[in-house]
Amino acid sequence: METTAPSARTRPPRPGGRRRRRTAWVLAVVGAAGIAGVVVLVAGPAPSGAHRHPGSPGPSVAPSRDAPQGETPSPGAAGIGDPLMPLDGNGGYTVRRYTLDFDWRAPLTPFEAAATVSATATQALSRFDLDFAGNTLHTVTVDGAPAAAVRDGDELVVTPARPIPRGRAFTVRVAYTADPTLHRRRSDAIARYGWVPTPDGTVLYAQPDGAKMIFPADDHPSLRAPITFHITTPPELTAVANGRLVERVRRPDGRIRWTYDSEQPVAAQLVQMAIGKFTFVDRTGPRGLPLRDAVPRDLVAATEAYRSLTPEHLAWLEERLGPYPFGRYGVLVGDTDLPVALESQSLAVLPRADLTGGQVDAERNLVHELTHHWTGDSVAIRRWSDLWLSEGHARYYERLYADTHGGADLEDVMRTAYERHDQWRHDDGAPAEPTEPSLFRQIRYDGSALVLYALRQEVGEDTFGRIERAWVKTYRGRAAGTGDFVALASAVAGRDLKPFLTPWLYGAHTPPMPGHPDWHVDPVKE
């Protein structure tokens, strides 16, 4: 994610923060047809143990006869326990694939939707959670049988008709009415996230944990699964999503059904589904890489000059980080006033203003989001406190590119960041010690790029380059954290870098900059 003007707007309290009394809804299909179906909802008191903390055992459940001997089914945890966002993600299963069906109608207009989650139980499950906020719930089934579903803040708690044995593959289908007005706000650079309207449709800003407003998900950046999208639109509109366009079919009623396959696993925060009057612009990148931009029709000409530079940006980054890690890439031009770009996987979102202003800023933002596809998308962060690895790398290469393409001198930019670093640490935590409200503040951008610059100063440019290429190669397609980076850098450099990197990543004060004894940190102002 890239921004040049962090918002000062405040965020409302987390919906999951206050526990409200649950109502258990027994959902039964009565002659269901299509996505919407006809349903009967029978309300009753929440099951015993419904008011629980993350990971609490809940009510006892008789063992399934299919469960391994001696294993009693128990609830999956309500979150994976990330210290900053403990309810993000879910325990007890892994997702193998999402299949999303959206019957889009018009901007800001509710529409029928369904999510099919194919998963495998990692424990014997009496019940499990999905991250799902807002929207109007219709039916929930597990392996085709009606299941009880309970809302608990941002959690959808599902109790199947029968417990699910460890190792068993199962399928959850959630039918609902999607609300494309749902969004939330943060007081950092993210500003607004969730559904973002455009004049004729929508784009998605799911980062950091807004995917739950779009579909039931396992919503944590370390958790990924491939996605199939089925999006039906009016005939005058185009649907765009992560990955490859598999099929475009005109239905008997004249509406168009678009099918996309993400091709590779995607973290929920990197999911993109945009609808509008788009034109596809195709070109080819290095080694024949397919490139496809999705551009509002009246912005094609105005944004072409900067979008056409993508092959050059790819070649420049491949020299430093190795081959591009996905099967295709494109730029989605967002017809929105949000001052935020987003690294949604294989289809980065750039607001129209980013591509219609000055070239230096346009290329900075384009290179930033493209860099994320190596660090952030391919190499995912293990915990939210590892965000510096994603945003710091993207900002570092953005600044490095600008240094030789008409932008500010990298050393000057890093010196300015150094002067401010103690203040940023004081206000928003050290690079690897964020708080939840300060995740996307300046310390995670230029402040974290400064850590990489310091590492380069310490080990030399050649060794730094080998560390970077080893990082994205070793952890390609996996999640990794700060400790992994320190260990890998030490192995490549041939010496223990933990004593050097630890004070840069943690703590209240900025260490001396190698090679620049004349650099000084400004005093902290309370």
Side-chain angles (χ1 to χ4, degrees):
M1 193 277 291
E2 164 73 343
T3 180
T4 55
S7 169
R9 287 175 282 192
T10 58
R11 184 189 186 195
R14 180 178 176 88
R18 292 182 61 191
R19 297 289 184 184
R20 292 170 291 182
R21 184 178 185 273
R22 292 180 179 173
T23 300
W25 294 94
V26 180
L27 307 174
V29 180
V30 183
I35 294 177
V38 180
V39 300
V40 174
L41 295 92
V42 183
S48 173
H51 297 277
R52 75 189 193 285
H53 297 288
S56 64
S60 60
V61 179
S64 166
R65 64 187 181 189
D66 298 320
Q69 186 173 3
E71 182 171 8
T72 300
S74 59
I80 67 169
D82 190 306
L84 297 189
M85 300 184 186
L87 290 177
D88 284 2
N90 303 286
Y93 63 90
T94 57
V95 177
R96 292 179 289 112
R97 177 173 289 273
Y98 298 100
T99 301
L100 306 180
D101 291 270
F102 296 119
D103 192 18
W104 177 266
R105 294 292 163 171
L108 305 176
T109 302
F111 61 92
E112 296 313 304
T116 302
V117 184
S118 302
T120 300
T122 56
Q123 67 179 70
L125 284 171
S126 59
R127 69 176 187 234
F128 57 88
D129 285 25
L130 291 164
D131 298 314
F132 192 44
N135 303 292
T136 302
L137 186 65
H138 295 322
T139 63
V140 179
T141 63
V142 176
D143 292 332
V150 176
R151 291 279 199 176
D152 185 10
D154 285 350
E155 301 293 313
L156 179 64
V157 185
V158 178
T159 303
R162 296 184 61 186
I164 302 168
R166 177 195 294 269
R168 173 70 58 84
F170 65 99
T171 300
V172 187
R173 186 176 187 276
V174 181
Y176 60 103
T177 298
D179 180 359
T181 69
L182 282 176
H183 67 275
R184 292 179 181 172
R185 296 187 183 275
R186 291 180 58 90
S187 60
D188 55 19
I190 292 291
R192 169 176 169 157
Y193 64 110
W195 295 91
V196 176
T198 61
D200 45 31
T202 190
V203 295
L204 301 184
Y205 280 77
Q207 195 178 63
D209 61 345
K212 61 173 67 75
M213 290 182 274
I214 290 98
F215 65 100
D218 207 7
D219 193 1
H220 187 272
S222 66
L223 305 173
R224 296 185 278 197
I227 303 176
T228 300
F229 301 83
H230 300 300
I231 308 163
T232 303
T233 68
E236 71 275 11
L237 299 182
T238 299
V240 184
N242 308 84
R244 179 173 65 93
L245 176 59
V246 175
E247 187 178 59
R248 177 187 180 277
V249 176
R250 183 178 293 273
R251 302 194 322 183
D253 61 0
R255 290 169 59 77
I256 307 297
R257 188 174 190 254
W258 308 78
T259 299
Y260 284 86
D261 181 358
S262 71
E263 299 182 299
Q264 291 172 277
V266 183
Q269 66 155 344
L270 302 175
V271 168
Q272 185 54 248
M273 180 198 73
I275 295 165
K277 295 178 180 178
F278 291 114
T279 294
F280 290 131
V281 181
D282 294 312
R283 52 175 58 91
T284 303
R287 298 171 289 101
L289 181 73
L291 304 178
R292 168 170 283 186
D293 297 340
V295 191
R297 293 166 195 169
D298 59 352
L299 292 173
V300 174
T303 61
E304 171 62 19
Y306 302 151
R307 289 186 295 100
S308 68
L309 298 173
T310 296
E312 178 184 325
H313 299 157
L314 279 160
W316 186 87
L317 282 166
E318 287 192 338
E319 288 179 6
R320 289 153 180 82
L321 297 173
Y324 175 74
F326 298 102
R328 64 196 65 246
Y329 183 67
V331 172
L332 168 62
V333 180
D335 195 0
T336 168
D337 292 327
L338 279 184
V340 177
L342 183 64
E343 66 271 21
S344 46
Q345 188 168 301
S346 78
L347 189 66
V349 182
L350 278 292
R352 61 174 181 264
D354 284 4
L355 299 172
T356 55
Q359 182 166 345
V360 170
D361 286 343
E363 290 199 80
R364 279 183 53 197
N365 292 341
L366 286 162
V367 170
H368 183 107
E369 303 312 331
L370 183 54
T371 302
H372 271 304
H373 283 70
W374 282 265
T375 61
D377 291 15
S378 177
V379 182
I381 58 174
R382 191 182 306 280
R383 291 289 183 266
W384 277 115
S385 58
D386 302 315
L387 183 65
W388 78 273
L389 282 164
S390 177
E391 297 298 347
H393 273 100
R395 182 55 58 90
Y396 174 79
Y397 285 101
E398 159 204 336
R399 294 292 194 183
L400 183 63
Y401 182 90
D403 176 81
T404 55
H405 291 78
D409 180 79
L410 177 66
E411 187 171 307
D412 290 344
V413 171
M414 292 295 99
R415 182 169 186 162
T416 298
Y418 187 83
E419 292 168 352
R420 300 175 181 174
H421 219 254
D422 269 10
Q423 187 69 55
W424 291 340
R425 287 170 181 260
H426 172 271
D427 294 344
D428 299 313
E433 287 186 321
T435 61
E436 191 274 339
S438 71
L439 261 176
F440 293 88
R441 296 273 175 83
Q442 201 68 16
I443 188 73
R444 246 62 67 191
Y445 293 88
D446 282 304
S448 297
L450 186 71
V451 176
L452 298 173
Y453 179 83
L455 177 61
R456 192 185 80 167
Q457 292 292 109
E458 175 71 10
V459 301
E461 188 170 350
D462 289 345
T463 299
F464 179 76
R466 289 191 290 113
I467 290 170
E468 293 292 272
R469 288 187 291 275
W471 174 246
V472 298
K473 181 178 180 180
T474 301
Y475 289 101
R476 178 172 175 163
R478 294 195 284 159
T482 301
D484 299 313
F485 183 81
V486 173
L488 180 140
S490 299
V492 173
R495 63 185 178 94
D496 185 6
L497 289 168
K498 186 174 182 180
F500 174 77
L501 285 170
T502 296
W504 277 98
L505 292 168
Y506 303 96
H509 299 291
T510 307
M513 176 60 71
H516 292 289
D518 56 320
W519 286 15
H520 300 285
V521 181
D522 291 340
V524 172
K525 297 179 181 178
E526 294 295 336

